[in-house]
Amino acid sequence: MMQKFLNLTNSTASKQITDEAQYEDALNLCRSYLTCIFRLLPIENITSTQDHEKAMFTRAIFANALGYVGRSLMDEMLLDNSITWERINLNGIPIEDKSDSFCLEANVTMKDKGTVNYPATSVHFDHRASTV
């Protein structure tokens, strides 16, 4: 998620974050975003392995999407300083159940013989088309 958020890969991170000040800036930016995200996620509902398996927000695809959304919102913040992380709203998004029809219809997950799986092909998330 943080690589998507910062628009970095492992190899570019070492080239772009070259000194302590840049590292601290990136770390503080990540902390502020993650603080907002963890306030929104219903982590308290994960009380068992079964709950973890069922939840969409525990999946890598969801974390990557949050990275892209955060990056997009950060770009907007550069243009309008009245925008904050608090603009993110997960209401109405079925993040607690990966078998929800929203996830199935969007091909984020798929049913196969009674179980919910992820498609074999990569799902491209176009963060420019998302609403925050």
Side-chain angles (χ1 to χ4, degrees):
M1 172 172 46
M2 291 296 91
Q3 286 181 324
K4 307 291 189 238
F5 176 67
L6 295 173
N7 197 26
L8 295 173
T9 64
N10 288 337
S11 61
T12 59
S14 60
K15 294 174 186 171
Q16 293 185 17
I17 301 176
T18 58
D19 63 33
E20 189 69 25
Q22 288 175 323
Y23 172 78
E24 288 295 325
D25 287 344
L27 184 60
N28 288 331
L29 187 61
C30 290
R31 280 183 182 146
S32 68
Y33 182 58
L34 287 173
T35 298
C36 175
I37 292 301
F38 282 113
R39 278 191 206 123
L40 298 173
L41 295 177
I43 297 167
E44 68 279 358
N45 293 351
I46 303 295
T47 58
S48 69
T49 303
Q50 185 179 12
D51 293 339
H52 184 274
E53 268 306 304
K54 181 181 177 185
M56 187 67 204
F57 72 90
T58 63
R59 306 284 148 226
I61 193 169
F62 184 79
N64 284 334
L66 283 177
Y68 285 123
V69 168
R71 179 69 189 185
S72 179
L73 187 56
M74 186 171 53
D75 290 345
E76 288 184 39
M77 293 163 96
L78 292 172
L79 300 173
D80 182 350
N81 63 3
S82 69
I83 296 173
T84 67
W85 298 127
E86 304 307 316
R87 188 170 183 192
I88 297 174
N89 181 340
L90 298 177
N91 293 336
I93 301 174
I95 62 175
E96 293 187 57
D97 186 1
K98 67 182 182 182
S99 66
D100 187 276
S101 62
F102 177 86
C103 298
L104 294 168
E105 290 168 12
N107 292 319
V108 175
T109 58
M110 59 186 223
K111 276 201 174 186
D112 182 30
K113 298 178 187 167
T115 62
V116 178
N117 301 308
Y118 298 95
T121 58
S122 175
V123 175
H124 176 71
F125 177 78
D126 186 351
H127 67 283
R128 295 165 295 186
S130 68
T131 58
V132 178

